[in-house]
Every structure is written in structure tokens, then in C-alpha cells.
Amino acid sequence: MISPPPLGSGAAHSPRTVAVVGAGSIGIAWAVVFASAGVSVRLFETDDAVRRGALGEVDSILTALFEADLLAEPVADVLPRVSMHDSLAAAVAGADFVQECVIEDIDVKRELFAELDRITPPGVVLASSTSTIMASLFAAEVPGRDRCLVVHPANPPYFLRVAEIVPAPFTSAEAIESARELLTQVDMTPVVLNREIEGFAFNRLQGAVLREAYCLVRDGVLSASDLDTLVRDGLGLRWSVIGPFTTSELNTRGGIRRHAEVIGPIYARIGVMRGTDDPWTPETIELVASEIEQRLPHETWEENVRERDRAMIKLASLLRQFENPLSQAPAAASTSPL
């Protein structure tokens, strides 16, 4: 979707209250997502300086979203839904969902989830925003472990509107469904992983690209800035519209099966070069091809290619003359005498 609706413009739902534990960048981002969708947010943060600045950070992001026409309500209506509390117990009081956003430390999370399990009613889902740590590593000994899971957002979630739900083997179906319902309510797209895996799916994909990127720079194939340009102006733009599997389907006449036949052996050789002998199997190729084909809107390959092109043309028109905001031209060489 190229032009998303303003945050909070989805269908009406019953009021909810979410406790967000940790007011760093992810905690603040979650507060923006929840509050923008009409959810009451109860924040808790142990660091005094972070706690003092948290509501100001929420205000700043909401203001930027409103000015970009990405917020359905005035900031003055949304901001009061976010409150800061002096204790963990006060923050979770009355909450029907807890989103943990503390540091990436298993021991810290283990202690926190044990405390959250002790002070919250059994029906409250306890979700972690961790980027890589499986819930079974920090919640296995929690008496109410069946309500513990990972809800890992893409960052920042008020712009990248997708989050992974990663249940542990002990997570209940009810907890998974509650997380899915909440994400849907706040205009996020939930992706439920079938099983735990370190790094989950998002960071494994990101890590695969970064591994090759570092190798290409290390081996002198291209510069770091040129690699960023290839992804920003090429792969990133294309994937933002249709994703890598649909890209494979529409880049090659004959679709994914033909693409795998032609390109698969090349990627397999590159994998071996990088120490990974893990070629695509015929069974996996067929599984992927069948699912992608079922999701395409048109009967013919040509019609779907035209649909892709229309979407990418629209995206290009929106991004015309949009320069990389975090790039600057190299400084001119000095001509002054030494």
C-alpha cells in the first residue's frame, strides 16, 4: 500500500489499555502506535532522564505525523492517552496487555517477566519487543508462561506497519490470538511465526543482506555508500511494493519456477563461496510458487506485471526529487596553501 491511511483511521474497537514497560525508542514508538489508535497507554521507565523526556518524545513524533497528514486526530486529542507512572505495579494496573521494551538482556527479561506474571491478572498477555531473544529463554520458568510471547515490531512501527508474533512452544493459542487482535486494532499487520527461531524472520532476512553487504565492501567490490544506494534506489524500492518472492515471480517470464531454474544455481554457488551450502529444494520452490500464484490478482503473468508497474510508477511519482536525507556531498578539497 503506497499511501497508507492516517494512524487511527481503522474500524472502531472496544477501548483497551496497554502497559508499555521501557520508554526508550521502541517503547515511545509503541506508545505512538497504540495511542494513535485510541488505546490508553501506561508507560513505565526506570531511568529518570528518559522518564522525564518520554512524553515530550511522544508529542514530537505525533506532531510530525500530524503535519504529514498521517494522524487521524489532532495531537491534543491523542497525547492525553499516554501517561507515565512511577512504579511497574502502577503502570500495569488496569492494563489488558503488556508490551515489554527493555534492554536486550536475558537475565533482565527473565526477572521482569517473573515480576509481571506475579503482579498482573492471568488473562493479561505479556509480550516482549525483543529483536532476537526467544521467549523460551526468559519465560520458561514463569508460572503463567502460557501468556508470554514475543511481539517484535519493524522499527519504527508507526511507519513500518508490521510486527512478528513469535510464540514459544508453551504459548497458548489464546495469547497468540489476543496479540493478533491488538495489532490489527492498531493498524499493524501481524505475521505469526510457526515456531521460535533465533533472530526471528525479520532480522534473519536483514542479517542475510548485511552479511553479503559487508563481504562485498570487505572484498573491494564496491563502497559502503554505493551499496546503500543499490538497496535504497533498487532492491528497497522494489521490495517495498511487492516483496522478494513476488519480485521473482514477475521478473522472469515463467514465474518463480523458471526463476529458480535459471538463477537458483548461481545463488547456490554464491552460497557455497560464502560457506553456506543450502540450495533451494524443488519442494520449497513449489510451495512458494503455489502460494504466490494464489495471491496474485490477475490470471496472466503480463497483467500482474502491468499491475506491479502501475504501483511502482505511483511510488516513483511520490518520491520524485526526494533525496536521501542522511547523505551529503563530499566536502570540496581545500585549495588553501599548507
Side-chain angles (χ1 to χ4, degrees):
M1 182 167 57
I2 294 175
S3 299
L7 303 190
S9 61
H13 295 264
S14 58
R16 298 195 64 167
T17 300
V18 174
V20 175
V21 181
S25 59
I26 294 298
I28 293 298
W30 271 125
V32 168
V33 168
F34 293 137
S36 299
V39 175
S40 295
V41 181
R42 301 173 67 85
L43 278 170
F44 174 68
E45 170 58 52
T46 58
D47 185 284
D48 288 339
V50 174
R51 185 168 60 249
R52 285 193 300 269
L55 294 182
E57 287 293 318
V58 174
D59 190 355
S60 177
I61 295 170
L62 288 172
T63 299
L65 291 170
F66 184 78
E67 291 173 349
D69 199 26
L70 290 173
L71 196 64
E73 302 173 272
V75 174
D77 292 343
V78 178
L79 188 59
R81 296 180 189 137
V82 184
S83 55
M84 178 62 72
H85 297 268
D86 293 333
S87 69
L88 181 62
V92 301
D96 56 63
F97 195 98
V98 176
Q99 188 70 40
E100 170 267 308
C101 306
V102 302
I103 61 173
E104 293 286 85
D105 184 294
I106 293 176
D107 292 333
V108 171
K109 292 182 187 295
R110 186 178 292 126
E111 181 178 347
L112 176 58
F113 270 74
E115 179 67 5
L116 288 170
D117 184 60
R118 187 182 68 81
I119 64 176
T120 58
V124 176
V125 172
L126 307 178
S128 175
S129 299
T130 176
S131 297
T132 60
I133 305 173
M134 297 178 290
S136 58
L137 295 178
F138 57 79
E141 304 303 319
V142 172
R145 64 181 189 167
D146 61 314
R147 58 185 173 133
C148 300
L149 76 172
V150 168
V151 176
H152 169 234
N155 188 20
Y158 47 80
F159 176 67
L160 302 176
R161 311 292 298 177
V162 64
E164 299 173 287
I165 298 174
V166 189
F170 48 72
T171 305
S172 70
E174 291 78 12
I176 297 170
E177 185 57 28
S178 180
R180 189 204 304 266
E181 289 177 356
L182 177 60
L183 290 175
T184 302
Q185 175 183 341
V186 300
D187 301 318
M188 297 282 288
T189 300
V191 173
V192 182
L193 271 60
N194 295 323
R195 63 183 179 89
E196 279 189 320
I197 185 170
E198 185 179 14
F200 320 135
F202 190 97
N203 276 316
R204 280 178 170 254
L205 290 169
Q206 186 167 245
V209 173
L210 282 172
R211 278 195 301 276
E212 183 63 23
Y214 274 110
C215 288
L216 290 170
V217 173
R218 178 201 64 198
D219 296 344
V221 175
L222 78 173
S223 69
S225 58
D226 281 347
L227 191 137
D228 266 3
T229 297
L230 277 178
V231 175
R232 177 182 184 269
D233 296 342
L235 290 173
L237 285 180
R238 189 164 62 187
W239 289 349
S240 74
V241 174
I242 57 175
F245 282 138
T246 306
T247 292
S248 298
E249 171 71 20
L250 301 182
N251 268 10
T252 307
R253 188 176 293 275
I256 284 174
R257 295 175 185 84
R258 179 59 179 162
H259 178 270
E261 180 183 343
V262 174
I263 304 297
I266 299 171
Y267 286 160
R269 290 198 298 273
I270 294 171
V272 171
M273 182 191 308
R274 298 301 188 205
T276 303
D277 186 9
D278 198 11
W280 309 338
T281 66
E283 295 79 12
T284 304
I285 293 166
E286 183 59 34
L287 176 67
V288 170
S290 298
E291 181 176 340
I292 295 302
E293 287 168 350
Q294 291 171 14
R295 292 177 61 87
L296 291 172
H298 302 295
E299 291 294 327
T300 69
W301 180 85
E302 290 83 1
E303 288 177 299
N304 286 309
V305 168
R306 283 193 289 271
E307 190 69 40
R308 175 203 64 187
D309 290 349
R310 281 192 289 268
M312 295 185 73
I313 289 168
K314 186 175 181 181
L315 178 62
S317 72
L318 294 173
L319 295 177
R320 175 179 286 180
Q321 297 178 341
F322 180 79
E323 300 296 335
N324 183 349
L326 299 181
S327 179
Q328 60 182 5
S334 173
T335 58
S336 60
L338 296 177

